């Protein structure tokens, strides 16, 4: 049997990789995928604690998070398509319209 | 070292490898494929934690549907990795960004290591109760205790579908759509398309 802290550390590492991806990536789609990875890391923590405490409520929450992630992906990709249509680039450093 | 440990180590290494390659790749299509690899490895971890239903959902919905949506968008935009990604002025250097990410990961790991959790005191997870994480159990919870959140999720999905269609709808540039009625706007779009 694997201790639960192993799963939590795996989730922390995945979350950290997602953070680094959001920070270093200049491609808005890769940035978006890094956010999905961070959502999944949080899901893994929920499932690990669900298992450790033998309460299935965490599974329902993970299900809801997956649904929200799907909705977010649909709207976010729609936004990316619109921005690409207007500016012909997906470089995040060029999307600084709202910066100041 | 028993079979469980071996499966966990292999899937954890594959998940971390896939995630790392995802952010290291220049070509977005390769990024998507590496993320799918990482998600499948995470699904193996879910199954090990006796979340059978969610493991299947992760592969079918996430790796299957959402990632295909990403691929569709990448192919629609015709990105080839040599996309306009020059060296514009950046607020933070690359080194600083890596340092922030690594420090945050280490912080999380130390917090987990130091947390006085009951389940961790014994170190190992006990045997799961019968039917834990099965479709039946998750569905029973979802349609009783979590009925209202579940219904709200349906509303959210409906709003997201409408929002995605509205946002991605093609318009004529400079079309003053706000001042027009629904019908004339529709006619203009048709004219622009023809």
């Amino acid at each position: 049997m694997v201790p639960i802290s192993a799963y939590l550390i795996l989730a922390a590492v995945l979350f950290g990789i997602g953070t680094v991806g959001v920070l270093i990536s200049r491609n808005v789609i890769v940035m978006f995928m890094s956010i999905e990875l961070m959502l999944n890391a949080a899901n893994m923590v929920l499932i690990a604690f669900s298992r450790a405490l033998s309460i299935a409520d965490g599974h329902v929450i993970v299900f809801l998070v997956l649904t929200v992630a799907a909705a977010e992906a649909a709207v976010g990709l729609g936004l990316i398509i619109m921005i690409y249509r207007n500016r012909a680039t997906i470089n995040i450093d060029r999307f600084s319209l709202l910066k100041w | 070292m028993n079979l469980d440990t071996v499966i966990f180590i292999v899937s954890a290494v594959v998940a971390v490898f896939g995630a790392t390659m995802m952010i290291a790749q220049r070509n977005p299509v390769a990024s998507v494929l590496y993320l799918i690899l990482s998600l499948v490895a995470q699904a193996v971890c879910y199954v090990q934690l006796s979340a059978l239903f969610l493991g299947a959902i992760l592969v079918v919905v996430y790796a299957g549907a959402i990632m295909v949506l990403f691929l569709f968008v990448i192919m629609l935009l015709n990105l080839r990795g040599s996309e306009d990604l020059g060296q514009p002025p950046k607020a933070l250097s690359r080194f600083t960004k890596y340092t922030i990410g690594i420090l945050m990961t280490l912080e999380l790991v130390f917090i987990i290591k130091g947390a006085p959790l009951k389940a961790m005191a014994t170190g190992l997870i006990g045997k799961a109760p019968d039917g834990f994480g099965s479709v039946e159990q998750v569905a029973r919870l979802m349609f009783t205790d979590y009925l209202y959140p579940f219904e709200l999720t349906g509303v959210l999905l409906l709003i997201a579908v409408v929002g995605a269609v509205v946002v991605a709808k093609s318009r004529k540039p400079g079309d003053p759509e706000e001042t027009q009625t629904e019908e004339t706007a529709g006619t203009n779009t048709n004219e622009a398309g023809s």
Side-chain angles (χ1 to χ4, degrees):
Chain A
M1 284 302 228
V2 184
I4 179 173
S5 55
Y7 291 100
L8 299 185
I9 288 170
L10 172 63
V13 170
L14 288 174
F15 194 89
I17 293 173
T19 315
V20 172
V22 169
L23 287 174
I24 68 164
S25 160
R26 272 171 291 156
N27 183 335
V28 71
I29 292 183
V30 175
M31 206 175 220
F32 209 53
M33 288 194 290
S34 301
I35 295 174
E36 305 275 331
L37 187 67
M38 289 158 82
L39 278 172
N40 269 304
N43 283 349
M44 186 169 290
V45 173
L46 279 169
I47 289 186
F49 275 116
S50 242
R51 174 71 176 77
L53 304 173
S54 292
I55 301 170
D57 292 42
H59 291 192
V60 181
I61 298 173
V62 169
F63 187 85
L64 298 182
V65 170
L66 282 179
T67 323
V68 172
E72 174 224 329
V75 175
L77 289 172
L79 284 173
I80 290 173
I81 289 179
M82 198 183 69
I83 293 173
Y84 186 78
R85 200 180 284 142
N86 284 328
R87 320 206 67 176
T89 178
I90 52 157
N91 185 345
I92 196 72
D93 290 325
R94 303 281 161 82
F95 298 168
S96 51
L97 218 62
L98 292 176
K99 205 167 173 182
W100 287 288
Chain B
M1 194 187 268
N2 52 6
L3 190 62
D4 263 353
T5 319
V6 174
I7 292 175
F8 172 74
I9 289 173
V10 170
S11 59
V13 166
V14 170
V16 171
F17 168 78
T20 315
M21 291 306 282
M22 177 196 81
I23 63 171
Q25 283 293 319
R26 195 151 271 269
N27 186 346
V29 177
S31 279
V32 172
L33 296 180
Y34 276 116
L35 183 56
I36 291 176
L37 176 72
S38 178
L39 288 175
V40 171
Q42 288 179 45
V44 173
C45 289
Y46 283 19
V47 171
Q48 267 202 309
L49 287 166
S50 30
L52 303 176
F53 173 60
L54 284 172
I57 287 288
L58 190 75
V59 171
V60 172
V61 173
Y62 235 100
I66 299 184
M67 289 302 127
V68 168
L69 192 66
F70 275 86
L71 275 181
F72 270 146
V73 169
I74 289 168
M75 286 169 185
L76 196 67
L77 303 183
N78 201 12
L79 306 174
R80 291 174 197 285
S82 58
E83 195 57 29
D84 167 36
L85 293 176
Q87 295 286 343
K90 279 176 281 186
L92 293 171
S93 75
R94 207 151 237 263
F95 175 74
T96 323
K97 292 172 177 174
Y98 279 117
T99 316
I100 292 171
I102 290 165
L103 278 182
M104 208 197 67
T105 313
L106 287 179
E107 217 173 299
L108 284 172
V109 169
F110 280 127
I111 289 171
I112 292 164
K113 276 298 197 190
L117 295 167
K118 200 181 80 181
M120 276 181 231
T122 57
L124 301 172
I125 311 172
K127 197 177 174 303
D130 272 350
F132 182 75
S134 62
V135 180
E136 190 199 338
Q137 195 194 12
V138 176
R140 195 175 291 280
L141 262 179
M142 199 183 293
F143 290 111
T144 54
D145 291 357
Y146 290 90
L147 181 63
Y148 291 117
F150 178 74
E151 298 287 348
L152 282 176
T153 317
V155 176
L156 175 78
L157 276 178
L158 177 68
I159 294 170
V161 167
V162 174
V165 170
V166 168
V167 161
K169 189 177 67 174
S170 68
R171 307 194 183 91
K172 208 160 73 175
D175 189 7
E177 201 169 285
E178 295 82 20
T179 59
Q180 290 172 336
T181 62
E182 199 85 56
E183 216 167 322
T184 29
T187 330
N188 277 358
T189 321
N190 287 346
E191 279 167 9
S194 60

